[in-house]
Structures are given as C-alpha cells and as structure tokens.
C-alpha cells in the first residue's frame, strides 16, 4: 500500500530529533505550571464554556452587533466569506512597504504571509520565537515556544547575522540583540497585522494578549493596523472577552494572566499618535455553515494550545499532527474550514481518543467525539459489505473466538511472540498489536449468579486467563458471578472506526443481553467499562433505548473498583517484595475516574507501586493505521517503566504494552491487576 | 511602607476606609512584587519623590503621559531638577513616538490596579500611555491608592465607570493591562525580561496621606 500523506508526515516527525527534544523540554516545563494554575482558578473553565456556548448559539446576532459597534468606533470592518476574499481585502490595504506582524492563526489559515511576500511586501514577524523561525526558514514547533527546537548556537548564529555583529551564547544578550534589531522594523513599519484573542460585541473591542510587548508595538506604531480574526472569536461583552484571555493564560501558559492585555476599540483620534486606520477582517470560511451543521463546539476553541501539551500524539509528532491549526482540534478545524480530505492528511485517524485534550481544554471541548463524527461521515460514504461482516463478527463473542481460532490454525507461525512474526500480522489485515487468540479455560460457572462479568472481546478471545482469575477472586469472596460466552462486543472499536450505526446496534444488543442477568455488571476492560457506563447513554441520546442505557449504566462497575471498595480483601503484610509499575488506562483514569483502587489492590498484594502515566498508544484505529506513531507513543510510556512487572486493568493496554516491550526487547511481564490479586490468594 | 498605617483620619476618611485601603495596599505590594515589579508605598510627597529619584538614577530622558497622580506630586519638575530631559506628551503632537523611542524612562499614571493579579490598567482616549509604557526600558507607574480594586472584575468595572463618567462612552479607546515587565522564554524556555517592552516596571503607590500631608 502506498504511504499516505500523513504517514509520510509521521516519518518526518519521528526523524526530527531536534524537534522532539525541544518539544519534550517545553512540555516538561509548561505542564506542571498549567496544572498548578488550574488549581488556582477552579470556576474559570465553566465560565468560559458557558460564554462560548452562548456566543456560538447567538453568533449571527452577535456578529451584527460587533460589526455595528466596531464601525461606530471608527474601524473599517470587512466580512470575508473565505480565505481568498480576506487576502484580497488585505492586499488592497497593504500596497507594499514593511508589515510587522504578531502571531495570528487566522493569518495562517488564509496564508497571508506568502500572499503578501509575493506582492512585494516585507513581512516581519515580531514575536521572538516566530522571528527566529522566520530567519531560520523553519516552522513553529510549539505554540508557546515556537522556536524551542533551535539550539542556542543556532539562535546565536541567526541573531548575529541579523544584527551584523558578533554575539555571545548568552540568552539575555541575545534577547537584547533581538530587541535592538526588531525596533527599527517596528518603528519604520507601514502596517501592523495582528489576530485577536476575542472581540467584544457590546463595545466593539478587540482584545489581545501577549508577554513580550510586540503586539503593543505592532498595534501602536504603524499608521495602519489590520486585525484578522475568525467570526467565532466574537463574544457578547468586554468582560467575557477578558475571561477568554484569562482562560488562555491559565490553561495555555500556566499564568494567571498574560503580561499584556491590550483592548483596542478604534483608530487614534486626531492629533494623537497611533494608527490612523484600523481594519478588522472577520473571516467566515465555513464557520457559519459549520455552526448551522451542529459543529459549534469546535469553535469554542480559544486557541490556547493547552490541549497539545497533554496529547500523546502531539508529544511524538509535534506540529505535524494537524495542519494550520495544530493537534486534534486542528484536525477538526481543518475539516470545517477546508476539506475532510485535508483533515485526513492532517491526521484524522491518528487520534487515540484518550481524552486528555478534553481534560486539558478550558472550554471542555470533546475533541475525540468531534473527530469520531468526522470519521463517521467518511465511513458512511463507503460500501457497507466490509462493515456488515465486521458487525456480524463482533455481535457474538463465541462466534468471534471460533473464527479467530480458525485464522490462528491456518496461520500458526504468525502468532509466535517474536517481533519478526508480529511484523507480519498486518499482512493478514490484523494489527500486530493483537495477541494470539486462545481457548477459554473451563471455568466453573455459578448456578445462581448475583453478578455478571463483562470481560470484553479481547479478554474473552486472547486473555481468557484474566477472566478466569476474576471469577476465582470473586468466588473466594462469596460473589457468585457469571461470565457469559456469547456477549457482543461493546461497540467502541466500531464507533472509533466511524461505524456509528454498527456501534449503536451493538449497544442495543448488549443492553438486552445484560438485562437477562442480575446484579452489578463487572468490567475487566477499562474501555468496555467506559463505553457501557458513559458512552451508551450518549450514543443512544434521543433513541427509545436511552432509558435502558441509563439503567445499565447504573449497574456497571470496574472490577478493580468493585474489589477494592465493596469487598474486604485483607492483604499481605509488608511491602518489601518486588515492585510493580501500574499503567493507568486512559478510559479508567479519565473516563471512569478509577485511579486509587487498582493501586490499593496492588499494595494489598504486597507490591510496591510505581506509576507510569502516559497513554499506551493502543486507542482507536491508530494502532493499525499508523503503527509507527502508536509505537512511538508506547515507547515514550515504556521508557518510564523500571519494574519487571507492569500491571494494568485493560486488555487493550495489555496488548499494546506487550507488543511495545517485545519491540524494545525488554523482559517485563504484563499482567492484569486481577491476576496478581488472584495469585496473591486474596 | 512607613506611612501606610498612620493614616487614621486622613482626608476625613473613616477608620474603616483606611483599613480597607491598607489591606489592599499590602496585597498590591505582594502581588506586584510577585509579578516582578519594583514597588513602593509612599505616605508623603517626600517619600514618593525619593522613590522616583531611585528609579530615575542614571537615566537621561524621561517621557510622561498625562497622569493625575504624577502631576499631583510634581514628578515632571522633580525629574527635570534631577537633570533629566523631560518630555510631556501632548506638548508637540507628532513627536511623541520619537520621544518615546529615545527615552529611557516612561512615566504614566494608572486608572486601576487589580490587586489579586498585580495588574496595572491604563485607560485612555489618546494612545500616548501605550507608547510611554511600552517603548522605554523602564516604566514608572504613579498610582493613587484609590485606584486599587480587589480583582480583574473590579478593575474592569472601574475602567467602565471612568469611560462612562469622563468620556461618555461605554469604553475608552485604549486599555492596556500590564502584569509585570515584558518577558520572553523563546530562547530555550529561559525567562528573560525586556523583550519588546520595558525590562523594569516600578510602581509607586500613593497612600491617602500623600494628598493631605
Ligand atoms: S481545543 Fe485546545 S487550543 Fe482549543 S481551547 Fe481547548 S485546549 Fe485550548
């Protein structure tokens, strides 16, 4: 199969060692600051989400109000239907000379730099990082630290050339040189170009935030100031706009507030210094259509960049995940402002649905859900034969097991646990992450059960010993549980692959299947647990089955939480035995909020617990569609594991971790927490 | 900090008002300092000018925007007396930018200070304060204690009130909210002050007693 555009970008990203090193450094410094700042501002995110939800639902009206207010203030407002219209307007205003600019995402969206340069305008970036990249002919590697990938020696070289004198490798000196070399550009520029963090409809105020003071210079020195902003930057009031800026500071930079917030309502009055003209270019470019189509949440985004810092895919790919807008939200915005094909090239199928972005986002945007919807749109247009086949296979675990075992018999050597063999598995259309299918051991089934074990397909077909261990532990504590063998798949694999109809059909089947059993539904797979508990009621919103989905949701418990919270397990004295690292499955930590219980269980087993947070790389279809990327995510994770045993509570994670350890040639045993509990005799 | 606590009865203020002012002053000093500003609270004109002298030491050219508080204690004349060449905005329109580019000290007032974040608000119609507070390497803010607000929302409310009462508009033309010196971390994530804006921000807070004694 020829490599896709995105696969080539993955290759380039994985080869870019300097970029990765810079990014790691930036992330390690920024993440703790952001987390601390969030703690100091608990209500900020709710406030922002409310403001943005209101703004998007009232946008046409707010747009009118903003245009009127800006015009009354003396600004010249241009509503640009698309990128071309915006460029043409700007081209009409800027007839040549020097244009100084600050960071603007919409500027990137409309490709303003190249357009102006081609028309003979000298474009000068003024943010230091962006300026360094401009001098280096490179691109930004992180929204907050765009030039973090450049080593100090290179920065020195670039600035020395620029200022025409020798400079020491001293950061303070280099900053001074940059200030001095940019000043004449700022003082002599004809035009200043900026974006906007927010535009207040009530006052016609453009609000901008920054740390360096370049935006203040760009907006106060040249005779013409051009603002380019998406129409979705409009919020009802000045106070709302300030909330946007606060949220961007806290969630994007870990600051309470950026050093400078500039509020600009119009050109300078007669006899005063400052721009004679302020042009405000408001870009639609698909936004109104997207809002009408129910994509409003995508534009709650305030471009703070916070989500990137926690995204496992961004960690390994950097700015190559996304297009003009970076990261998962960037993929979504690309689809809405350009085309779905462009979003595919930007990494539509790379998202692991781990949910870290939503957790990091001040507007709480459910980015994985938006990405899933885009995938669904694509899948719907494809022929349905393959889809029907897969749906049928996943509808009944006993059937799935039989088929997989036949496949295994026919292709025996492929399933040996050796890297070379694993590498062959994709030839068969299965992921190399998939473990060898195994026959379920005979387990004594309880006569009258008062709990049902929902082990999930992967446990049932590939890790049956985990299910058996769970039954043994439960029965030791007097919980008679049943592990049915014909349960349907939870449906998440279909959902993530874009087959929403198929996923909902499986949801309904599971609901009626599980109604036949009494008591709690104990899940061994974090993904299944999150799906049954949290996703079904959402998937089936407005469906006659929703009420039943809610009832089922109330019965679902993660097995480790059930064992730790509801049973008295006792424990082994002393914790001097060998350590175990615990891997938090994303669906368990972020989806179900279960973090302490598995650790408590491991401690009860007499194990010392290390934590190795990070995604395993298995989520969604990325594992087989973009294996090198998923592998890089896994490698990052495994580099943090020192113990000889790695415990987790999700068979999906187990498969990815096992493959990764295999790939790295490391002898670490991967176990489900419940297996260790069983072995400890608890 | 001398002078903060002995303002009872100053200007006819009630004891409660004075206590509130003192509490806000104390918090403002802490927050502004945490933002990297050099801060002083003056209880008398003499103390105020002494701080101005320290900030202006070694400087040659000062630009001043029109600021109520600074005018009240005669900052312009004092700086001239210290041997600085002093340029007042509005004197020769059209020369402001050049004066700001050449100055090594910019002096402004403040229309509000958000105590919680240590943020100085400059609100203006003309746009001079934007230049004065951004181009010279040192920015001196002279602010009366009456412009202290507990937080950002309070400071915004003050700016809104000023816009309505003084200019008869919902919002003045320009507002600049400043939290500490200009900074950049763009080279190796090492934080360095003074990228495009001032590397030093000095804040002189005038207690009520300044006005009376
Ligand atoms: S999606 Fe990302 S960039 Fe946009 S607001 Fe949320 S965290 Fe910030």
């Amino acid at each position: 199969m020829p490599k896709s555009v995105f696969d080539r970008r993955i290759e380039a990203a994985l080869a870019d060692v300097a970029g990765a090193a810079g990014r790691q450094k930036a992330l390690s410094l920024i993440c703790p600051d952001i987390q601390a700042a969030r703690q100091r501002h608990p209500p900020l995110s709710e406030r922002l989400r409310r403001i943005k939800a209101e703004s998007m639902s009232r946008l046409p009206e707010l747009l009118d109000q903003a245009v009127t207010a800006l015009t009354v203030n003396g600004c010249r407002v241009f509503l640009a239907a698309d990128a071309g219209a915006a460029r043409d307007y700007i081209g009409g205003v800027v007839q040549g000379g020097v244009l100084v600019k600050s960071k603007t995402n919409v500027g990137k969206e409309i490709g303003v730099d190249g357009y102006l340069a081609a028309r003979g305008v000298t474009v000068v970036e003024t943010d230091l990082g962006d300026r360094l990249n401009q001098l280096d002919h490179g691109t930004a590697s992180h929204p907050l630290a765009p030039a973090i990938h450049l080593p100090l020696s290179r920065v020195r070289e670039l600035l020395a050339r620029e200022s025409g004198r020798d400079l020491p490798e001293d950061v303070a000196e280099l900053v001074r040189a940059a200030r001095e070399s940019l000043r004449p550009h700022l003082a002599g520029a004809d035009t200043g170009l900026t974006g906007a963090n927010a535009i207040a409809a009530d006052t016609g105020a453009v609000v901008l935030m920054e740390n360096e003071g370049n935006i203040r210079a760009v907006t106060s020195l040249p005779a013409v100031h051009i603002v380019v902003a998406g129409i979705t930057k409009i919020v009802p009031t000045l106070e709302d706009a300030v909330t946007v800026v606060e949220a961007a500071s806290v969630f994007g930079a870990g600051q309470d507030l950026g050093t400078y917030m500039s509020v600009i309502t119009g050109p300078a009055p007669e006899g005063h210094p400052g721009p004679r003209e302020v042009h405000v270019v408001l870009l639609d470019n698909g936004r109104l259509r997207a809002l009408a189509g129910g994509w409003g949440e995508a534009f709650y985004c305030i471009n703070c960049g916070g989500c990137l810092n926690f995204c496992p895919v961004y960690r390994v790919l950097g700015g190559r995940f996304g297009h003009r807008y970076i990261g998962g939200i960037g993929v979504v915005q690309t689809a809405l402002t350009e085309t779905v094909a462009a979003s595919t090239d930007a990494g539509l199928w790379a998202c692991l649905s781990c949910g870290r972005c939503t957790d990091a986002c001040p507007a709480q945007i459910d980015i994985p859900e938006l990405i899933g919807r885009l995938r669904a749109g694509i899948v719907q247009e494809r022929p349905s034969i393959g889809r029907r086949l897969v749906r049928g296979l996943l509808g009944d675990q006993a059937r799935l097991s039989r088929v997989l075992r036949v496949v295994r018999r026919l292709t025996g050597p492929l399933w040996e646990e050796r890297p070379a063999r694993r590498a062959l598995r994709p030839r068969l259309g299965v992921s190399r992450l998939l473990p060898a299918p195994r026959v379920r051991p005979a387990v004594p089934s309880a006569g009258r059960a008062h709990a049902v074990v929902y082990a999930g397909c992967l446990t049932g077909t590939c890790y049956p010993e985990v299910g058996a261990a769970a039954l043994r532990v439960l029965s030791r504590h007097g919980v008679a549980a049943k592990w049915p063998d014909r349960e349907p798949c939870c449906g998440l694999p279909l959902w993530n692959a874009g087959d929403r109809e198929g996923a909902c059909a499986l949801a309904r089947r599971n609901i009626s299947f599980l109604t036949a059993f009494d008591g709690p539904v104990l899940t061994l797979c974090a993904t299944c647990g999150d799906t049954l508990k949290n996703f079904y009621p959402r998937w089936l919103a407005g469906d006659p089955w929703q009420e039943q989905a809610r009832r089922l949701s109330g019965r679902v418990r993660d097995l480790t939480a059930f064992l730790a919270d509801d049973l008295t397990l006792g424990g082994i004295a002393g914790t001097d035995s060998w350590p175990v690292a615990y891997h938090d499955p994303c669906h368990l930590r972020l989806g179900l909020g279960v973090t302490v219980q598995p650790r408590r269980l491991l401690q009860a087993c007499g194990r010392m617990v290390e934590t190795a947070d990070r995604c395993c790389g298995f989520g969604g279809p990325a594992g087989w569609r973009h294996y090198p990327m998923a592998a890089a995510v896994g490698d990052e994770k495994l580099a943090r594991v020192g113990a000889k045993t790695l415990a987790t509570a999700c068979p999906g994670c187990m498969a990815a971790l096992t493959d990764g350890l295999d790939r790295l040639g490391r002898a670490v045993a991967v176990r489900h927490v419940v297996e260790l509990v069983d072995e400890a005799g608890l | 900090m001398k002078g903060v606590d002995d303002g009872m009865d100053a200007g006819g203020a009630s004891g409660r008002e004075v206590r509130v002012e003192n509490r806000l002053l104390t918090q403002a000093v802490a927050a502004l300092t945490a933002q990297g500003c050099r801060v002083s609270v003056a209880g008398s004109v003499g103390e105020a000018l002494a701080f101005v002298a320290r900030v202006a030491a070694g400087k040659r050219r000062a630009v001043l925007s029109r600021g109520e508080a600074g005018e009240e204690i005669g900052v312009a004349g004092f700086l001239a007396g210290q041997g600085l060449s002093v340029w007042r905005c509005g004197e020769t329109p059209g020369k402001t930018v050049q004066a700001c580019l050449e100055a090594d000290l910019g002096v402004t007032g403040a229309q509000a200070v958000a105590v919680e974040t240590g943020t100085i608000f400059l609100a203006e119609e003309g746009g001079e304060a934007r230049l004065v507070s951004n181009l010279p390497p040192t920015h001196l803010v002279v602010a009366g204690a009456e412009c202290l607000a507990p937080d950002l929302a309070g400071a915004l409310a003050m700016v809104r009130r000023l816009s309505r009462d003084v200019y008869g508009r919902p919002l003045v033309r320009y507002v600049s909210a400043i939290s500490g010196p200009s900074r950049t971390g763009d080279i190796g994530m090492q934080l360095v002050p003074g990228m495009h804006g001032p590397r030093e921000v000095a804040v002189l807070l005038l207690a009520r007693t300044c006005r009376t004694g």
Side-chain angles (χ1 to χ4, degrees):
Chain A
M1 216 167 67
K3 282 209 180 82
S4 70
V5 172
F6 187 66
D7 281 322
R8 283 202 301 274
R9 295 174 76 167
I10 292 176
E11 259 176 27
L14 296 180
D16 179 1
V17 182
R23 205 159 52 239
Q24 298 311 333
K25 183 169 178 191
L27 296 179
S28 68
L29 290 168
I30 293 170
C31 290
D33 282 359
I34 292 177
Q35 268 149 346
R38 283 182 66 165
Q39 302 295 320
R40 296 195 296 271
H41 299 272
L44 189 53
S45 165
E46 284 302 326
R47 221 163 76 213
L48 178 75
R49 187 170 167 90
R50 230 179 305 121
I51 290 169
K52 292 300 285 188
E54 188 200 337
S55 307
M56 290 312 112
S57 68
R58 290 176 47 204
L59 191 64
E61 167 209 339
L62 290 175
L63 178 59
D64 280 348
Q65 199 191 345
V67 170
T68 309
L70 285 161
T71 311
V72 167
N73 290 342
C75 299
R76 303 181 199 188
V77 184
F78 179 71
L79 277 175
D82 56 26
R87 281 194 303 261
D88 288 346
Y89 179 82
I90 294 171
V93 175
V94 187
Q95 294 294 344
V98 176
L99 177 137
V100 282
K101 72 187 273 271
S102 63
K103 210 187 291 291
T104 147
N105 283 307
V106 167
K108 261 188 2 184
E109 183 177 331
I110 64 174
V112 77
D113 291 7
Y115 171 80
L116 289 172
R119 292 168 61 93
V121 179
T122 307
V123 176
V124 179
E125 295 286 353
T126 57
D127 172 88
L128 176 57
D130 290 330
R131 177 66 175 160
L132 291 172
N133 285 332
Q134 188 178 39
L135 296 174
D136 191 48
H137 306 290
T139 50
S141 49
H142 187 278
L144 208 67
I148 183 75
H149 57 284
L150 296 179
L152 189 57
S153 55
R154 179 70 182 147
V155 172
R156 191 202 65 80
E157 202 179 303
L158 292 169
L159 289 174
R161 196 188 305 150
E162 184 62 10
S163 56
R165 62 188 165 97
D166 199 26
L167 293 170
E169 268 188 25
D170 173 87
V171 177
E173 278 302 317
L174 293 172
V175 167
R176 187 194 304 264
R179 173 187 170 105
E180 280 165 12
S181 70
L182 278 165
R183 257 300 155 88
H185 290 298
L186 286 162
D190 306 280
T191 317
L193 178 72
T194 70
N197 286 86
I199 295 176
D202 66 338
T203 42
V206 176
V207 180
L208 288 152
M209 190 194 58
E210 54 159 339
N211 284 321
E212 293 186 354
N214 60 312
I215 294 185
R216 304 187 73 207
V218 166
T219 58
S220 60
L221 289 170
V224 177
H225 173 201
I226 304 174
V227 181
V228 279
I231 50 174
T232 40
K233 290 283 172 188
I234 299 173
V235 292
T237 68
L238 173 67
E239 286 69 17
D240 294 335
V242 172
T243 299
V244 169
V245 161
E246 271 187 273
S249 309
V250 169
F251 285 78
Q255 288 173 294
D256 292 324
L257 189 67
T259 306
Y260 299 118
M261 177 177 75
S262 301
V263 181
I264 294 167
T265 63
E270 257 319 297
H272 291 270
R276 307 262 69 90
E277 293 171 23
V278 175
H279 299 261
V280 181
V281 180
L282 295 171
L283 180 70
D284 178 352
N285 209 22
R287 288 170 172 80
L288 286 173
R289 191 187 55 218
L291 289 183
W295 292 90
E297 191 173 351
F299 296 103
Y300 291 5
C301 177
I302 58 170
N303 296 104
C304 68
C307 50
L308 303 177
N309 299 308
F310 300 91
C311 169
V313 178
Y314 175 78
R315 262 181 187 279
V316 298
L317 300 186
R320 290 176 176 94
F321 179 35
H323 180 36
R324 291 177 166 122
Y325 294 94
I326 304 179
I329 188 70
V331 168
V332 175
Q333 288 166 342
T334 302
L336 299 178
T337 57
E338 291 182 39
T339 58
V340 174
S343 80
T344 304
D345 294 347
L348 178 60
W349 297 91
C351 170
L352 301 164
S353 336
C354 73
R356 280 176 176 75
C357 47
T358 304
D359 184 57
C361 174
Q364 301 165 32
I365 302 173
D366 191 345
I367 299 168
E369 159 60 17
L370 295 171
I371 286 184
R373 261 174 77 189
L374 288 170
R375 289 176 182 170
I378 295 180
V379 168
Q380 251 165 27
E381 283 163 18
R382 293 206 185 127
S384 64
I385 303 170
R387 237 180 301 154
R388 262 193 250 133
L389 194 77
V390 176
R391 280 186 205 169
L393 263 181
L394 294 180
D396 177 335
Q397 204 184 94
R399 197 187 311 147
L400 177 67
S401 287
R402 274 199 308 277
V403 171
L404 281 178
R405 283 201 304 273
V406 172
V407 170
R408 179 179 182 175
R409 214 166 316 126
L410 296 173
T411 56
L414 216 61
W415 299 96
E416 285 167 28
E417 294 300 333
R418 298 209 323 256
R421 299 294 190 201
R422 277 179 179 274
L424 288 175
R425 285 179 212 171
R427 296 254 171 107
L428 233 130
V430 298
S431 166
R432 56 168 286 164
L433 299 173
L434 194 70
R438 269 195 280 272
V439 183
R440 207 196 255 210
V443 274
S445 210
R448 243 194 84 74
H450 38 266
V452 53
V453 168
Y454 188 93
C457 314
L458 203 53
T459 312
T461 54
C462 300
Y463 294 115
E465 61 282 1
V466 173
L471 288 182
R472 278 194 299 272
V473 173
L474 286 167
S475 90
R476 275 207 293 277
H477 292 274
V479 180
K482 207 164 191 84
W483 179 14
D485 63 356
R486 311 195 61 126
E487 84 229 39
C489 160
C490 70
L492 193 69
L494 292 187
W495 183 270
N496 279 338
D499 182 6
R500 297 199 152 188
E501 209 180 290
C504 288
L506 285 176
R508 291 188 202 98
R509 276 181 78 151
N510 266 306
I511 292 169
S512 60
F513 181 82
L514 288 166
T515 316
F517 299 89
D518 293 326
V521 176
L522 303 174
T523 52
L524 301 190
C525 168
T527 309
C528 297
D530 198 11
T531 306
L532 266 56
K533 192 167 192 68
N534 296 326
F535 297 164
Y536 281 4
R538 264 188 260 156
W539 291 0
L540 298 172
D543 189 284
W545 287 73
Q546 191 182 18
E547 194 35 52
Q548 294 198 55
R550 285 216 194 93
R551 240 174 288 143
L552 171 63
S553 167
R555 290 170 59 202
V556 173
R557 302 283 308 278
D558 174 72
L559 178 74
T560 62
F562 179 78
L563 294 179
D565 293 341
D566 291 33
L567 306 183
T568 318
L569 250 47
I572 294 173
T575 52
D576 54 351
S577 57
W578 67 103
V580 55
Y582 175 68
H583 164 70
D584 281 294
C586 303
H587 283 289
L588 199 56
R589 181 169 77 86
L590 294 158
L592 298 169
V594 173
T595 54
V596 285
Q597 295 94 330
R599 291 181 168 78
R600 272 203 340 251
L601 292 177
L602 292 171
Q603 272 153 3
C605 296
R607 298 298 192 93
M608 272 173 36
V609 184
E610 289 173 5
T611 291
D613 175 36
R614 285 300 159 87
C615 178
C616 68
F618 185 77
W624 71 86
R625 287 188 80 129
H626 304 302
Y627 181 77
M629 179 212 89
V633 172
D635 288 355
E636 266 231 347
K637 202 239 142 65
L638 293 169
R640 301 159 82 88
V641 174
K644 285 288 167 220
T645 307
L646 178 52
T648 188
C650 174
C653 302
M654 288 171 72
L657 296 169
T658 307
D659 173 57
L661 290 161
D662 219 23
R663 188 174 59 235
L664 299 171
R666 288 183 50 190
V668 176
V670 178
R671 313 296 303 278
H672 194 291
V673 172
V674 75
E675 291 181 276
L676 297 178
V677 172
D678 180 37
E679 280 164 26
L682 298 180
Chain B
M1 287 290 295
K2 186 160 82 61
V4 174
D5 296 321
D6 54 16
M8 302 302 283
D9 214 30
S14 72
R16 198 182 151 272
E17 278 172 8
V18 173
R19 275 197 304 280
V20 169
E21 176 180 311
N22 288 349
R23 204 189 56 233
L24 282 176
L25 274 172
T26 311
Q27 289 171 0
V29 170
L32 288 163
T33 308
Q35 289 285 19
C37 302
R38 186 170 167 186
V39 193
S40 179
V41 177
S44 69
V45 173
E47 280 177 12
L49 293 177
F51 180 70
V52 173
R54 285 203 296 282
V55 172
K59 306 272 189 298
R60 289 175 298 115
R61 290 163 191 265
V63 281
L64 283 78
S65 73
R66 296 167 211 238
E68 302 299 323
E71 276 164 24
E72 199 174 321
I73 59 166
V75 170
F78 178 76
L79 286 174
Q82 299 281 305
L84 282 85
S85 80
V86 173
W87 201 88
R88 275 197 178 92
C89 287
E91 276 175 355
T92 329
K95 290 267 164 59
T96 304
V97 173
Q98 200 49 39
C100 289
L101 286 168
E102 285 166 7
D104 46 14
L105 173 66
V107 184
T108 69
Q111 281 61 49
V113 175
V115 161
E116 188 183 45
T117 48
T119 306
I120 297 146
F121 278 75
L122 312 180
E124 52 170 342
E125 272 295 293
E128 284 84 0
R130 294 203 289 169
L131 299 165
V132 172
S133 61
N134 199 44
L135 297 179
T138 298
H139 174 203
L140 169 63
V141 184
V142 184
E146 71 282 354
C147 67
L148 298 183
D151 51 18
L152 285 177
L156 273 179
M158 285 172 108
V159 169
R160 286 273 207 180
R161 207 175 312 127
L162 171 101
S163 308
R164 249 194 333 268
D165 296 353
V166 179
Y167 302 101
R169 291 154 49 98
L171 184 63
V172 296
R173 200 170 297 256
Y174 303 115
V175 182
S176 310
I178 300 172
S179 311
S182 151
R183 59 196 94 175
T184 183
D186 279 357
I187 303 181
M189 295 284 290
Q190 185 179 321
L191 219 52
V192 176
M195 182 53 223
H196 290 277
R199 69 172 150 269
E200 185 185 32
V201 177
V203 184
L204 172 58
L205 296 169
L206 305 179
R208 221 178 270 270
T209 42
C210 261
R211 275 62 185 282
T212 53

